[in-house]
Amino acid sequence: MIKRKLSLLFFAVFVIFIFGCGRSTPEQSLIKKVNADDKNFRGKWVYKSQIAGQFTYSVRTRIYIKVNGKKFHLIAKWTEANPPSERRTEEWVYDGKVLWQLIPSQKQADWLEIKGFKKGPFWKMPPRMKPFAPPKETGKEEIIAGRICKVLQTRGKYDQGDVTLTYWVDKEKNLLLKKEHLLEAGGLTLIHEAYECESIEFAPAFPEGAFEVNIPSDWVKVKKRHLDCELLNTKF
């Protein structure tokens, strides 16, 4: 009888443990919704920063993006706030299977078969934020690009600095419209960077072939083992 009761108790504890581990917090559920490939939009974003060697918090990159599910087409232009050697335009197209980088100046199209992006593009949230805890809702709502957004935030220490990561998520569409990374130490701001939406259109009617790549006959196609784009693998 005692053995049976102990067995039943162990089984009950085991079931509670398994189901308890499977539960997600409201914030984790929201992050999953944000990162789901069910979005359909086009918009304009900016990347702003003030990091090592930059004396002002300025717009460094203007980004024009179209997204339909997993597919996207983006054009990024580095502004005059950057040194002349860093000013450029990049164009990236992902058809759901192949990532293309189009380089008109070289008449070249680099490509790579890829299933996903480890850290996530700028319109998504990182699934893990180690060594920091997952962000929690602050209870605040703010307007970004004319949209009401929930504000999520997490804080922590990195080396000798204080890190704050903040995320603004469209309350209705569950789309990340802004994210900000702040590193401070000794009363000084060491890193301040953000991706922020300036305008957004949901459910646009994209023309047929909007996410297909038609390479001119005089261009060269180059298969790559790795394609690096900071906008598609953001660190926060």
Side-chain angles (χ1 to χ4, degrees):
M1 180 66 72
I2 294 176
K3 287 184 178 180
R4 187 171 176 228
K5 286 183 178 179
L6 287 173
S7 297
L8 289 172
L9 178 61
F10 175 79
F11 178 74
V13 171
F14 177 75
V15 170
I16 291 171
F17 174 78
I18 292 297
F19 280 90
C21 289
R23 292 175 183 169
S24 59
T25 66
E27 289 81 8
Q28 289 172 327
S29 297
L30 179 58
I31 292 173
K32 287 181 180 179
K33 291 178 182 178
V34 169
N35 292 343
D37 291 318
D38 59 355
K39 310 295 187 298
N40 181 21
F41 66 89
R42 71 170 136 223
K44 298 178 183 178
W45 262 255
V46 292
Y47 169 71
K48 306 176 185 178
S49 71
Q50 183 179 6
I51 56 179
Q54 298 175 349
F55 300 103
T56 60
Y57 181 62
S58 304
V59 173
R60 308 288 169 180
T61 314
R62 296 192 178 278
I63 309 162
Y64 307 86
I65 178 78
K66 301 174 184 176
V67 173
N68 187 7
K70 291 184 177 181
K71 301 176 182 180
F72 63 78
H73 183 176
L74 76 82
I75 297 175
K77 299 181 179 182
W78 274 253
T79 71
E80 293 184 356
N82 300 284
S85 61
E86 296 179 10
R87 297 172 195 167
R88 64 192 186 278
T89 297
E90 291 186 3
E91 183 173 3
W92 298 82
V93 182
Y94 183 56
D95 62 10
K97 295 180 180 179
V98 178
L99 176 65
W100 294 87
Q101 182 183 12
L102 307 180
I103 313 172
S105 62
Q106 301 177 25
K107 292 187 176 182
Q108 181 172 314
D110 295 341
W111 66 278
L112 172 72
E113 290 186 8
I114 188 170
K115 293 182 178 180
F117 303 90
K118 291 181 180 180
K119 296 180 181 179
F122 65 85
W123 64 92
K124 293 190 177 184
M125 298 177 67
R128 299 179 188 83
M129 302 180 187
K130 293 182 178 179
F132 311 113
K136 292 186 176 297
E137 290 192 37
T138 63
K140 298 179 181 179
E141 292 184 352
E142 296 183 9
I143 304 295
I144 303 294
R147 304 286 301 179
I148 300 174
C149 293
K150 296 180 180 180
V151 182
L152 290 80
Q153 193 171 80
T154 185
R155 298 175 184 269
K157 288 280 187 181
Y158 182 78
D159 198 6
Q160 301 298 317
D162 298 305
V163 175
T164 303
L165 302 174
T166 310
Y167 302 87
W168 289 258
V169 177
D170 189 294
K171 188 176 180 180
E172 178 189 358
K173 300 293 187 179
N174 293 320
L175 178 65
L176 182 67
L177 295 184
K178 181 180 177 181
K179 59 181 176 180
E180 181 183 66
H181 170 211
L182 193 62
L183 173 61
E184 299 171 300
L188 299 175
T189 298
L190 304 181
I191 295 176
H192 186 194
E193 55 182 341
Y195 290 91
E196 181 173 355
C197 177
E198 291 190 330
S199 65
I200 186 78
E201 177 188 356
F202 290 103
F206 291 120
E208 186 176 348
F211 303 96
E212 296 176 3
V213 174
N214 296 311
I215 307 300
S217 59
D218 59 341
W219 281 38
V220 177
K221 297 180 184 178
V222 180
K223 184 177 182 180
K224 295 284 189 175
R225 297 182 63 182
H226 176 71
L227 284 175
D228 185 29
C229 177
E230 61 191 85
L231 306 176
L232 301 179
N233 283 297
T234 56
K235 56 183 177 290
F236 66 95

